[in-house]
Amino acid sequence: MTQDELKRATGIAAADYIRPHLDDDSIVGVGTGSTANCFIDALAEHKHLFDGAVASSEASAQRLRDHGIPVYDLNSVSNLDFYIDGADEINEHLEMIKGGGAALTREKIVAAVAREFICIADESKLLSRLGAFPLPVEVIPMARSYVARELVKLGGDPVYREGVVTDNGNYILDVHNLSIASAIELESKINQITGVVTNGLFALRPADVLLLGTQNGVQTIK
Ligand code: 5RP
C-alpha cells in the first residue's frame, strides 16, 4: 500500500473506532492535515449518527462543512469524547511532534478538552526518538527574533516558516537539530519562553490511542 492508502485506512479505522459511541448529542473533535482529511471523509459516511464537530483549523472546518457536518465553536461545547488527529512523529509513549500544517495551537486546545485523543498515522511516523522532524513553534510576530535566539540557547536551529501566518495571526519557527531526551521537559521549557504561543511537542498530553496504518493492517496501540 502507498502512504496515501495507509492514511485512508487509518481514517476509516478511526471512524469505525468511534462509531459505536456516537449519538445525537455527540460532538467530534477533528484535527488537521492529510490524514485528518481522510478521517473527515470517512466520518462523513456516518454524519446521521452525531450532532457535529469542532475543528482545529479553518481548513478542516471548511472540509467538514463541505460534507454537510455542522461545525461548532469550542466555547459552546463542554464535552468532547474524542479528538482525532494525525502527527508528524509519534513515539512508543504516544508523545508526538505536530504542527507541520501550522495548526498546533488549536490542535493542542481541542486535544486538551477531549477525553480521548486518537492519533492516526501511517507507519513512517512511528519512531523510537522524536526530533528528526523540525519542531514547529508558534510565536507572537513581534517576539519572533527573541524566541529564535532563546531556542538557539536550547541547542536548536530555528528557521522562520516564511509566508505562513497561522489561523491565530502568528508565525511559525521550525526548530531543527534539537536533541529531545525528555519530550515532557522540553515541551515545558519552550512553553516558558516569553512570546511562545505553543510548541508542537504533545507530551504533557500525549495521545491515548494510536491507530497505525501498516502493510499488515491498522494496528491499535495504547
Ligand atoms: C498539522 C498537524 C498534522 O497532524 C501533521 O502535520 C500531520 O499531517 P499529515 O497527516 O498531513 O501527515 O499537526 O498541524
Side-chain angles (χ1 to χ4, degrees), residues 7 32-36 85-88 97-104 107 125:
K7 288 180 181 188
T32 299
S34 56
T35 318
D85 198 359
D88 297 300
I97 287 184
K98 293 183 47 52
L104 60 161
E107 290 171 346
K125 307 287 185 68

